[in-house]
Amino acid sequence: DSGVTQTPKHLITATGQRVTLRCSPRSGDLSVYWYQQSLDQGLQFLIQYYNGEERAKGNILERFSAQQFPDLHSELNLSSLELGDSALYFCASTSNPLAGNTGELFFGEGSRLTVL
Amino acid sequence: GQQVMQIPQYQHVQEGEDFTTYCNSSTTLSNIQWYKQRPGGHPVFLIQLVKSGEVKKQKRLTFQFGEAKKNSSLHITATQTTDVGTYFCAGRVMDSNYQLIWGAGTKLIIKP
């Protein structure tokens, strides 16, 4: 158990719909990352938050947005869904690597999104 | 942009054979991390290498970080079925955001 909780584990929806994925980081971790992993593919970095503020953006589509709340949980919103958005979405958290920590990422079990 | 190339994409081995995956970065890295993702699972941190030329071992796994801090490798001796999965490297870039740049992963497949 990594200590990172993601909900829902599975989600099936239709094209054009909107969904929200939720992530609770490990206790004390200020940094949250979102990744997309399509079937048998690598990890595509979407976005990072640190203590409520956006820190870095990757290949995140304009239809996707995210935020980190004061209690440090994060949500990834996916709208106008397309078939190609079907993937496993991982959240990961870490303590601040600049504070001398290893900065290893602790991943949740992922949310599997299927768009029909 | 900054990239970390990881090869091979797949490696099929007989149980008991060795396995190696390589990562090459387009830029000097602050450090490099390795993760393993079992089939159906999530990535799990294995190790971090920080120093130029560093070599670390975990049982049958040997991790190396190149002298120029641009390349790294993971070698598994005498593979076992429990080693099956995808191995990712992720390099930390020396910039203000300290970002991780991920390799595409190498999938280790054990031939029956």
Side-chain angles (χ1 to χ4, degrees):
Chain A
D1 181 10
S2 67
V4 178
T5 304
Q6 286 189 250
T7 56
K9 285 188 170 30
H10 301 276
L11 191 54
I12 302 174
T13 189
T15 54
Q17 295 298 304
R18 173 190 170 93
V19 298
T20 297
L21 309 180
R22 182 188 167 102
C23 169
S24 294
R26 280 191 330 155
S27 177
D29 283 356
L30 300 179
S31 216
V32 168
Y33 297 74
W34 285 98
Y35 289 90
Q36 179 193 56
Q37 187 175 44
S38 300
L39 190 61
D40 280 343
Q41 298 297 308
L43 294 163
Q44 297 299 316
F45 169 62
L46 296 178
I47 199 163
Q48 180 203 356
Y49 282 84
Y50 178 77
N51 202 19
E53 293 191 2
E54 182 184 302
R55 175 62 65 90
K57 241 178 185 177
N59 299 321
I60 187 165
L61 299 171
E62 285 191 14
R63 300 183 285 109
F64 296 1
S65 65
Q67 57 185 127
Q68 186 179 27
F69 295 87
D71 67 352
L72 301 178
H73 91 270
S74 179
E75 292 182 355
L76 179 66
N77 300 296
L78 315 175
S79 62
S80 302
L81 286 168
E82 301 175 0
L83 296 178
D85 297 327
S86 295
L88 198 50
Y89 291 83
F90 285 111
C91 167
S93 75
T94 185
S95 50
N96 184 6
L98 296 177
N101 301 304
T102 59
E104 71 179 89
L105 297 190
F106 294 86
F107 283 80
E109 295 188 358
S111 292
R112 184 171 294 283
L113 173 66
T114 302
V115 182
L116 300 176
Chain B
Q2 293 149 339
Q3 286 189 333
V4 171
M5 301 299 294
Q6 186 171 0
I7 57 168
Q9 188 176 359
Y10 300 93
Q11 189 164 0
H12 295 75
V13 300
Q14 298 275 5
E15 189 174 3
E17 292 182 337
D18 292 356
F19 162 85
T20 306
T21 173
Y22 301 90
C23 287
N24 283 292
S25 170
S26 60
T27 187
T28 303
L29 300 171
S30 175
N31 56 57
I32 193 160
Q33 299 178 349
W34 286 90
Y35 292 78
K36 176 183 178 181
Q37 183 178 21
R38 293 181 186 274
H42 58 277
V44 175
F45 175 81
L46 293 176
I47 207 162
Q48 176 169 279
L49 305 172
V50 179
K51 298 176 185 175
S52 169
E54 190 169 15
V55 178
K56 286 188 175 180
K57 291 192 176 186
Q58 291 179 349
K59 298 183 181 177
R60 295 177 295 102
L61 278 62
T62 302
F63 303 84
Q64 294 189 343
F65 200 11
E67 294 289 342
K69 300 184 75 172
K70 283 187 162 186
N71 57 72
S72 182
S73 65
L74 158 59
H75 180 82
I76 303 177
T77 304
T79 54
Q80 299 175 358
T81 55
T82 53
D83 296 324
V84 162
T86 301
Y87 293 84
F88 293 97
C89 63
R92 277 211 186 272
V93 181
M94 292 178 171
D95 67 8
S96 59
N97 281 333
Y98 223 68
Q99 286 305 304
L100 268 180
I101 310 296
W102 289 78
T106 297
K107 192 169 186 176
L108 169 58
I109 299 160
I110 305 277
K111 291 187 256 189

